[in-house]
Amino acid sequence: MEKKITNPWKWQDQRSYVQAVEVKNVESTLYVSGQTAIDDDGISSDEDMKSQLIKALQNLEKVINEAGFACNGIVRLNIYTTSTAELWPHFNIFQSWIAKHNIKQATTMLEVTSLFETLKVELEATVVK
């Protein structure tokens, strides 16, 4: 597999994403449903944004690994949140996770009116190998 990153600017580097990712010679593609702070019994978290973000990242990583893929294969990672104001103070958690896995992904962040039950953040990924 070959990945080509396109970044006409430098400012996105501080936000831990890239403007475009071209992928060639892909063996397989995994489309991951939005991952949230739901526990192993299917119970939605009612904790704060920081706790929910950490659990959503853990769940995303678990699904990717269980499918036989690696997190560094993420080429698109969309973030849905009920409050960007609540998410921003914890964005460094997201950025550290991205850096840890050496991910170079296209990203869109959207603030939405609501998510399922008590959830505050949802992560949707496309992964290649």
Side-chain angles (χ1 to χ4, degrees), residues 47-79:
E47 295 183 59
D48 63 6
M49 181 66 78
K50 178 181 179 182
S51 299
Q52 288 201 23
L53 177 60
I54 291 167
K55 182 64 174 168
L57 287 166
Q58 291 170 345
N59 285 345
L60 178 61
E61 189 168 345
K62 183 175 185 171
V63 170
I64 290 169
N65 291 336
E66 290 275 331
F69 285 70
C71 290
N72 68 353
I74 294 173
V75 293
R76 182 151 193 85
L77 180 54
N78 293 332
I79 305 166

Side-chain angles (χ1 to χ4, degrees), residues 26-60:
V26 173
E27 176 187 321
S28 192
T29 303
L30 180 69
Y31 300 93
V32 183
S33 292
Q35 296 301 304
T36 59
I38 294 180
D39 70 17
D40 291 348
D41 296 321
I43 307 299
S44 297
S45 172
D46 59 359
E47 295 183 59
D48 63 6
M49 181 66 78
K50 178 181 179 182
S51 299
Q52 288 201 23
L53 177 60
I54 291 167
K55 182 64 174 168
L57 287 166
Q58 291 170 345
N59 285 345
L60 178 61

Side-chain angles (χ1 to χ4, degrees), residues 50-110:
K50 178 181 179 182
S51 299
Q52 288 201 23
L53 177 60
I54 291 167
K55 182 64 174 168
L57 287 166
Q58 291 170 345
N59 285 345
L60 178 61
E61 189 168 345
K62 183 175 185 171
V63 170
I64 290 169
N65 291 336
E66 290 275 331
F69 285 70
C71 290
N72 68 353
I74 294 173
V75 293
R76 182 151 193 85
L77 180 54
N78 293 332
I79 305 166
Y80 303 91
T81 182
T82 56
S83 173
T84 53
E86 279 184 70
L87 182 60
W88 284 128
H90 311 294
F91 200 68
N92 64 318
I93 295 167
F94 173 79
Q95 290 180 300
S96 294
W97 188 84
I98 293 296
K100 171 185 161 187
H101 294 289
N102 193 30
I103 301 169
K104 303 289 184 202
Q105 84 293 348
T107 292
T108 298
M109 180 185 292
L110 297 170

